[in-house]
Amino acid sequence: MCIRDSTYTNEYDPDCNVCDEAREVKTFTSEQLTGLTGTASSNDTNDGSNIEEAFDGITNEASNYWASVKNDNGIENNEYLIANLNGKYLINQVAYTSRTTADATGNLNDYVIWVSTDGEHYEQATSGDIETRPGATTITFDPIRATHVKLTATQSVHWQDANVNKVMAAAEFAVFKAVCEEHDYDDDADTECNVCGAVRTIEGLSLIHISE
């Protein structure tokens, strides 16, 4: 038993931050969001970069990617890629895919994931190291509601030693919504889950308009 009041990161965190005591919480699967649009700190069109290509689902073409311009001050705190979800979702996973060769300019060695509900104010969701290069690194975190997801980093690849950590690139940046394994509806007629927003179809349910 925790010697102090149990403290959890959020309502979906199963482990107390003080004593690691576990509690039962709702569990989720993940489903990739579609229709994302994006913005970035910069876009090196001279290198063939295109921001939209980071969200188009194409991961196996060498010419299909986004890359920032070279920043002599380094990518940390300067360069970023933002996914606009075009709606508010409960999310719990993203996937970063590097360019098709391991040593391609701008491939990330680490990541920081930030989330926002207004596209202006961000809070950190998680951080870590890129596990797969080339290829996709799946990044999971406790479910959190967001309208925008920002990818930043501190370390990246460059074929010139003097330009290491000065360019940021991604072949693809995908965001996944959290889907309850057991949905929470108000009653038998409720069609939208109160937690994850999943919509269900109820056979035989019809809407009746009542005149005032």
Side-chain angles (χ1 to χ4, degrees):
M1 181 67 66
C2 188
I3 60 175
R4 295 184 291 178
D5 291 338
S6 295
T7 302
Y8 300 92
T9 303
N10 57 43
E11 60 187 301
Y12 309 114
D13 183 8
D15 297 315
C16 172
N17 295 327
V18 178
C19 68
D20 290 330
E21 180 180 4
R23 65 173 179 174
E24 185 175 345
V25 296
K26 186 174 285 293
T27 55
F28 300 87
T29 58
S30 299
E31 181 180 318
Q32 185 171 347
L33 289 170
T34 59
L36 305 186
T37 54
T39 56
S41 51
S42 62
N43 182 39
D44 190 359
T45 56
N46 291 328
D47 192 41
S49 167
N50 189 318
I51 297 173
E52 289 76 14
E53 291 178 350
F55 305 101
D56 63 5
I58 299 174
T59 62
N60 59 353
E61 292 184 9
S63 61
N64 192 282
Y65 65 93
W66 162 78
S68 70
V69 298
K70 182 171 71 71
N71 193 316
D72 289 333
N73 293 319
I75 60 174
E76 185 176 7
N77 300 322
N78 294 310
E79 302 298 332
Y80 58 80
L81 179 66
I82 294 177
N84 183 346
L85 311 186
N86 294 304
K88 182 183 284 188
Y89 296 91
L90 186 68
I91 64 171
N92 64 348
Q93 181 176 303
V94 300
Y96 165 80
T97 302
S98 65
R99 297 174 64 179
T100 53
T101 55
D103 59 351
T105 295
N107 278 348
L108 302 183
N109 290 324
D110 62 7
Y111 62 83
V112 185
I113 303 299
W114 308 80
V115 296
S116 172
T117 56
D118 61 9
E120 295 182 6
H121 304 91
Y122 286 84
E123 61 178 289
Q124 184 175 323
T126 189
S127 62
D129 296 326
I130 295 298
E131 300 173 354
T132 305
R133 196 176 66 237
T137 296
T138 299
I139 303 162
T140 60
F141 42 87
D142 289 334
I144 187 170
R145 298 194 186 279
T147 59
H148 297 74
V149 182
K150 178 164 66 174
L151 170 67
T152 65
T154 65
Q155 300 177 27
S156 65
V157 174
H158 199 284
W159 60 276
Q160 294 176 315
D161 290 343
N163 291 322
V164 168
N165 304 332
K166 293 183 178 180
V167 178
M168 180 176 171
E172 189 74 11
F173 185 51
V175 180
F176 296 75
K177 64 181 179 180
V179 180
C180 299
E181 291 190 345
E182 294 186 11
H183 295 300
D184 181 9
Y185 300 102
D186 288 334
D187 51 45
D188 291 341
D190 189 8
T191 59
E192 184 173 328
C193 175
N194 295 321
V195 178
C196 70
V199 176
R200 64 176 176 174
T201 300
I202 302 176
E203 293 185 6
L205 179 65
S206 61
L207 299 178
I208 302 175
H209 177 72
I210 301 176
S211 301
E212 295 182 354

